[in-house]
Amino acid sequence: MHRRTFLQSIAAAAMVPALGRQSGSSEWGAPVFDLHFHMRPQVASNLAHLDGAGVTKANLLTRGAALDQVKALQTAAPGRFTWFNSYDVSQADAEQVLTQAVKQGAQGFGEMKFHVAADGPELKRIYALAADLHVPILVHFQEVDHFPNEGTWSTGYAKTFESILKAYPKTTFIGHADAFWANVSADYRNEAAYPSGPIARGGITDKLLADYPNLYGDCSANSGNNALSRDPSFTSDFLKRHQNKLMFGSDCSCSDGHGGGVSQAKNPAATRLAGKCVARETLTVLKASASPAIFRKIAWDNAHTLLRIP
Ligand SMILES: [Zn+2]
Ligand SMILES: [Zn+2]
């Protein structure tokens, strides 16, 4: 029997209620918190991904008015969902809308993915607001198009983000996406979205994670998976060095937690994960590269500490 069929039949036979698994162990040997889960329109499709991938709880990334949907999910599966909110930072009412979301229960800003500079005025005021409201801000950094004319997102990470970390010491940043992860290697010059091969030690992201207590890392997406997979001799030491700073996330678009449906749409550079569940692939790399204690921190504890979840 295929492992997947086997696991599905165990799940069907056991019919473990969602509530019973809130903080217990999962198939991964520790409970799993998915920091980077884009909320889906239907309640059931959200739960299908969590349950399929063996994920205990998830942080819903939402944009704009989302409270009703978030509440419906939290009611359907109590204790399994926190949420972040995002809003177009170039709009005049961005601070007002994001403040309101936090008052309604959002525990962070994100993901912030807009065609602006990482050190531009649009994001700077949101960095300051995140500090004022004591919530973390999750930022998507990308310099290389996935498809023609996509454009860049939070541009200038490698050149300017250290100045932001210095200027906003009270803001808790969570780094994510292509430029954040490609810059674990010191030889990266924006030549590809997902560079492969051995990592040159001393990359910017490794250094910033070490030097700035206000920077955390989100391991989600093809970018995170790629960085942790391309050079196994690098990965375990990297996870050890930043064991209190890294958090598991999926950013997976598969339907069932097993790679079903459309995965990696509009991103030909990420075909290495086509047909796979990013959550499963990244949890597998983390589990193979970290001790059980470090795996548990990255998969569960760190996000709870950062989001102040009891
Ligand atoms: Zn992103
Ligand atoms: Zn998936």
Side-chain angles (χ1 to χ4, degrees), residues 49 252 254 257 277:
H49 194 272
C252 186
C254 90
C277 174

Side-chain angles (χ1 to χ4, degrees), residues 36 111 113 140 176 251:
H36 198 121
E111 81 177 281
K113 182 178 181 182
H140 178 113
H176 149 76
D251 201 5

Side-chain angles (χ1 to χ4, degrees), residues 40 49 53 250 252-260 276-280:
R40 302 168 182 211
H49 194 272
S250 72
C252 186
S253 56
C254 90
S255 60
D256 56 0
H258 291 277
K276 295 179 176 172
C277 174
V278 186
R280 286 190 165 277

Side-chain angles (χ1 to χ4, degrees), residues 37-39 46 58-62 70 73 81-85:
F37 183 79
H38 289 280
M39 186 168 67
N46 291 278
N59 185 44
L60 302 164
L61 302 184
T62 70
V70 169
L73 253 175
F81 294 100
T82 55
W83 63 295
F84 280 13
N85 191 238

Side-chain angles (χ1 to χ4, degrees), residues 22-43:
Q22 269 186 32
S23 55
S25 288
S26 70
E27 66 174 281
W28 300 104
V32 172
F33 185 97
D34 183 347
L35 180 76
H36 198 121
F37 183 79
H38 289 280
M39 186 168 67
R40 302 168 182 211
Q42 307 302 327
V43 166

